[in-house]
Amino acid sequence: MNYQETTNWMFNQLPMYQLQGASAYKEDLTNIKLLAEHLGNPEQKLKTIHVAGTNGKGSTSHMLSSVLQEAGYKVGLYTSPHLKDFRERIKINGQEISEEFVIEFISKHKSFFEANDMSFFEMSVGLAFDYFVSEKVDIAVIEVGLGGRLDATNIITPLVSVITNIGLDHTQFLGNTLEAIAGEKAGIIKPNVPVVIGEYTDETKPVFLAKAEENNAPISFASDLIDQIYLSDLIGDYQFHNKKTVQQTISILNNQTNFKVSTEQLKEGLLNVVKNTGLQGRWQQLGANPKIICDTAHNKHGLAVVMNQLQNEKYEKLHIVLGVVNDKDLDSILPLFPKEAQYYFCSPDSARGLPAETLKNAAAKFNLAGEKFDSVESAFAEARQNASKNDFIYAGGSTFVVAELPLD
């Protein structure tokens, strides 16, 4: 198989949460442990940082990778989902895994995957760990895919565990209270491994404290400890807490491990996240006159911050290109959007994309008015055509929407 055929097989033949939703979620670590053993337990040969959270874990992971790169380390980075190409998920010092390595790995282990009904995510985690070991990275930043306790990445014993925040998302898997979701995320806390909490609430803090005590894991709350916050090229308002989380994590690495990062390297790493890692889709500007911003925020917790930032922008007219997936709680997210905007409702090109007509009808209940379009591309094109140079275009609602935008 060539690269396209290989990734097509991965996407189409095996369960994948990004496409299928609930049916792809396995509440068990048996398979990933079986795969790890088959691969020679690469996770045991890696030094890692493990990052979980409802929002911000992708930005935090990329920031950590950038900072460690500036300190001269060879840094593996595993994140999900991807926007354009599967290889975005697996990088070393900002360079994507080669097509050849993906092809060879899948070809070599394909019969094992099929015989043991490996999920897309389990295969991807195995691939990342195997690649990082073969390339002899100094450290790998590993982002949790979904939840924590039962996530396929949760077979590592990291140097530091990081939980960015807790919000009500993926409640069909993780529970419908903040305490329940915190309990799932706290599942990455390991015995005697320091854990950094980015943000907490009255409901979640006791859950984190109890789990840390149970595991004799030193716990720190970045929001209470970091006063001086450095600048970053990631300029979304929500990066405020992510930067605190990163700075506290680096402080722990400096004080409790053999990894050393200077203040200057920390500053440079935060300032050069996009250049060092290739991160896209976080309050990313795609154009000026009119100003065009896209963002992958897709749940109430994340969208609330983004919409607040949007309200602080100056413009004559606001245009919003909006699409979501079919498992979103529209009654919780649609009230966050401004009523004084022209909407361009669309459905992302995914099996989970919510039909534009359905979204338009739901939005009308909250006095959000606009037209429906057959695709993200056509909706975005119409917004650009309608907008004057002093207007503002925002495109988002889903990672899948951002993936279909012209990001480069």
Side-chain angles (χ1 to χ4, degrees):
M1 294 189 295
N2 61 26
Y3 176 70
Q4 191 62 55
E5 291 167 339
T6 299
T7 53
N8 284 345
W9 179 82
M10 294 175 72
F11 296 148
N12 297 330
Q13 301 304 316
L14 294 175
M16 177 182 173
Y17 170 72
Q18 191 175 350
L19 291 178
Q20 294 178 231
S23 64
Y25 186 62
K26 293 186 178 180
E27 294 195 4
D28 195 289
L29 293 178
T30 299
N31 263 23
I32 188 61
K33 290 178 179 178
L34 185 67
L35 175 57
E37 184 178 358
H38 171 75
L39 297 173
N41 294 112
E43 79 286 355
Q44 297 178 7
K45 304 167 188 175
L46 293 170
K47 291 184 173 67
T48 59
I49 300 172
H50 205 187
V51 184
T54 300
N55 292 301
K57 59 184 184 292
S59 294
T60 298
S61 296
H62 282 80
M63 285 181 184
L64 285 167
S65 179
S66 179
V67 169
L68 289 163
Q69 285 173 231
E70 290 288 347
Y73 295 108
K74 187 174 185 179
V75 186
L77 176 62
Y78 176 76
T79 59
S80 61
H82 62 271
L83 290 175
K84 303 287 188 181
D85 186 337
F86 168 78
R87 296 182 302 133
E88 297 167 28
R89 295 169 178 251
I90 303 170
K91 299 178 181 179
I92 295 177
N93 283 14
Q95 298 299 308
E96 296 173 0
I97 187 173
S98 69
E99 292 184 356
E100 291 73 23
F101 198 100
V102 176
I103 294 168
E104 290 172 10
F105 179 85
I106 296 299
S107 176
K108 180 178 180 181
H109 304 289
K110 187 167 179 279
S111 59
F112 179 88
F113 296 149
E114 292 174 327
N116 293 281
D117 190 30
M118 290 289 157
S119 73
F120 170 90
F121 197 73
E122 288 160 347
M123 288 190 301
S124 301
V125 169
L127 168 60
F129 291 173
D130 187 72
Y131 179 60
F132 293 153
V133 168
S134 70
E135 293 296 316
K136 298 181 173 61
V137 299
D138 296 314
I139 190 168
V141 181
I142 307 297
E143 179 193 357
V144 166
L146 177 64
R149 180 175 64 92
L150 298 172
D151 187 74
T153 63
N154 202 28
I155 57 172
I156 59 176
T157 301
L159 298 175
V160 187
S161 302
V162 179
I163 302 173
T164 58
N165 54 51
I166 302 299
L168 291 174
D169 198 19
H170 303 304
T171 55
Q172 66 270 49
F173 311 114
L174 307 178
N176 55 16
T177 67
L178 292 177
E179 292 94 335
I181 296 173
E184 290 297 313
K185 308 285 187 187
I188 71 166
I189 298 175
K190 302 294 194 307
N192 306 306
V193 174
V195 55
V196 175
I197 307 299
E199 301 174 71
Y200 64 86
T201 66
D202 290 341
E203 296 95 337
T204 63
K205 187 174 185 178
V207 177
F208 296 139
L209 288 171
K211 191 65 174 179
E213 182 178 8
E214 176 187 330
N215 284 276
N216 194 34
I219 186 169
S220 57
F221 296 90
S223 57
D224 296 341
L225 295 172
I226 301 298
D227 293 321
Q228 184 177 12
I229 306 171
Y230 301 123
L231 297 174
S232 175
D233 58 341
L234 301 184
I235 57 175
D237 287 356
Y238 49 82
Q239 304 297 357
F240 173 83
H241 290 289
N242 294 335
K243 287 186 289 186
K244 282 192 170 190
T245 304
V246 168
Q247 290 176 217
Q248 178 61 18
T249 303
I250 294 299
S251 175
I252 288 175
L253 282 180
N254 277 333
N255 293 327
Q256 301 186 31
T257 76
N258 292 325
F259 288 88
K260 300 302 174 189
V261 179
S262 70
T263 300
E264 191 59 33
Q265 289 163 344
L266 171 60
K267 290 179 178 179
E268 286 299 307
L270 290 173
L271 280 172
N272 294 286
V273 180
V274 174
K275 184 183 77 172
N276 287 343
T277 70
L279 178 64
Q280 293 185 309
R282 273 65 171 185
W283 196 260
Q284 181 177 347
Q285 185 166 344
L286 304 181
N289 304 316
K291 187 173 183 179
I292 304 172
I293 293 290
C294 70
D295 197 278
T296 56
H298 56 271
N299 55 44
K300 182 179 179 180
H301 185 270
L303 283 167
V305 181
V306 171
M307 289 300 107
N308 184 67
Q309 183 167 1
L310 185 59
Q311 294 295 331
N312 292 326
E313 292 283 341
K314 294 181 180 179
Y315 49 77
E316 288 185 359
K317 186 175 181 179
L318 176 61
H319 306 259
I320 295 183
V321 178
L322 184 63
V324 300
V325 292
N326 58 21
D327 60 354
K328 286 302 158 193
D329 180 2
L330 297 180
D331 289 342
S332 71
I333 65 172
L334 289 177
L336 301 172
F337 285 85
K339 296 178 176 59
E340 70 285 357
Q342 171 68 36
Y343 284 85
Y344 304 77
F345 300 108
C346 54
S347 178
D349 185 18
S350 164
R352 292 171 56 218
L354 184 72
E357 178 77 22
T358 305
L359 178 58
K360 178 185 175 182
N361 292 338
K365 299 174 185 177
F366 298 95
N367 299 313
L368 308 180
E371 300 301 322
K372 63 182 178 68
F373 294 84
D374 294 335
S375 66
V376 172
E377 181 181 11
S378 60
F380 187 65
E382 184 72 10
R384 295 189 70 171
Q385 182 174 331
N386 291 345
S388 70
K389 66 177 184 178
N390 294 321
D391 288 354
F392 189 102
I393 300 173
Y394 175 85
S398 169
T399 300
F400 294 103
V401 170
V402 175
E404 295 182 50
L405 298 173
L407 299 177
D408 298 322

